[in-house]
Amino acid sequence: MSTIQQNLQDVRSRIAAAAQDCARIPEEVTLLAVSKTKPAEAIAQAIAAGQHAFGENYVQEGVDKIQYFAQRPEGAGLEWHFIGPLQSNKSRLVAEHFAWCHTVDRLRIALRLSDQRPAEMPPLNVLIQINISDEQSKSGIVLSELPALAEAVAALPNLCLRGLMAIPAPEHDYQRQLATFGQMNDAFQELKQRYPQVDTLSMGMTDDMQAAIAAGSTMVRIGTAIFGARDYSHTTV
Ligand SMILES: *Cc1c(COP(=O)(O)O)cnc(C)c1O
């Protein structure tokens, strides 16, 4: 078994254990494999180990991989999620190629994504990104802006509002991780009450997946624990 296959098994076990620790069903937590900067061969190994949902941060790199796997038998049934910061001038590529976008944080981007979504594709699944640690440098809206943006996004014809996403500031203390993720879950539960199609709370990465799951995450985005450390020196996008 390859390292990536072994890593995937380990991550799945960690997810299952974290879910069981808080009396949740492991199947409630989807594993998104974050493959940014990693080559197609690494993704192919993950596919061979049964992984089908992948997250990419850089638009052109993601589109290249989507197109590569679209032509290969092992690429059937893959689901691609855009999880990076999105600039207006790149929105068309996301609308035309991805199944999900986790980083909607302003109406202007949502409008463009909806306008640019091809008619023959299903609606683009979107998550609203929350700047839960209220960091100046981070993308995402503050929670007080959520009701208005959610209402506007939910009304767009070619988008399906599925929930919320957050990348909290790095924090090593488990209780503090839990408190931050708990705020996200409160907002998520409220959103679900209003919009029945909302079912996804995207939070938790390699270093904080356990607290995220304990706080109610339904989708963890894991890169390093599956593919190893990233090397950005060759990244051009
Ligand atoms: C890179 C990235 C991840 C994966 O992080 P790891 O710590 O490598 O698991 C998850 N979410 C987003 C938005 C990312 O940019």
Side-chain angles (χ1 to χ4, degrees):
M1 198 186 306
S2 75
T3 308
I4 289 172
Q5 291 172 319
Q6 183 63 57
N7 288 346
L8 256 174
Q9 275 195 4
D10 293 347
V11 168
R12 289 190 188 119
S13 307
R14 284 168 65 184
I15 292 170
Q20 273 151 6
D21 278 353
C22 55
R24 295 187 61 198
I25 304 160
E27 287 72 32
E28 287 174 4
V29 184
T30 299
L31 171 57
L32 185 66
V34 176
S35 43
K36 63 182 178 216
T37 80
K38 298 296 176 181
E41 305 88 78
I43 296 172
Q45 286 184 34
I47 296 169
Q51 182 63 29
H52 77 282
F54 292 90
E56 287 285 338
N57 285 60
Y58 308 102
V59 176
Q60 193 56 56
E61 179 189 342
V63 170
D64 289 348
K65 290 172 181 172
I66 291 169
Q67 288 178 333
Y68 173 83
F69 282 103
Q71 289 162 3
R72 306 184 62 88
E74 72 267 31
L78 296 186
E79 188 179 88
W80 295 91
H81 295 232
F82 184 74
I83 63 170
L86 182 52
Q87 290 155 4
S88 297
N89 62 352
K90 300 272 178 71
S91 63
R92 180 176 295 281
L93 283 170
V94 171
E96 290 179 348
H97 294 278
F98 285 83
W100 288 70
C101 177
H102 290 218
T103 49
V104 170
D105 64 356
R106 53 202 190 277
L107 184 55
R108 182 176 143 73
I109 277 284
L111 286 166
R112 288 178 68 93
L113 289 169
S114 183
D115 282 348
Q116 294 166 342
R117 185 68 166 173
E120 69 277 11
M121 291 176 85
L124 179 68
N125 296 298
V126 298
L127 304 178
I128 293 177
Q129 183 175 356
I130 307 294
N131 185 353
I132 194 67
S133 308
D134 206 1
E135 292 172 280
Q136 211 82 117
S137 60
K138 282 278 171 66
S139 9
I141 58 167
V142 293
L143 279 175
S144 60
E145 297 170 326
L146 177 57
L149 185 58
E151 190 173 342
V153 169
L156 293 174
N158 300 320
L159 303 185
C160 182
L161 176 63
R162 297 290 293 271
L164 303 177
M165 178 271 213
I167 313 169
E171 166 62 64
H172 294 293
D173 182 72
Y174 181 82
Q175 291 305 327
R176 288 201 207 127
Q177 290 176 352
L178 207 53
T180 305
F181 287 136
Q183 280 180 279
M184 283 296 299
N185 191 40
D186 291 346
F188 173 62
Q189 296 303 332
E190 224 171 280
L191 195 68
K192 254 171 112 163
Q193 299 288 316
R194 268 191 88 95
Y195 303 99
Q197 78 279 18
V198 163
D199 59 0
T200 302
L201 179 56
S202 165
M203 59 186 195
M205 314 194 338
T206 292
D207 289 332
D208 56 13
M209 67 172 115
Q210 207 179 345
I213 292 167
S217 170
T218 72
M219 189 177 286
V220 289
R221 309 178 307 265
I222 308 296
T224 308
I226 297 172
F227 295 110
R230 287 178 288 274
D231 175 3
Y232 286 99
S233 59
H234 307 293
T235 308
T236 53
V237 277

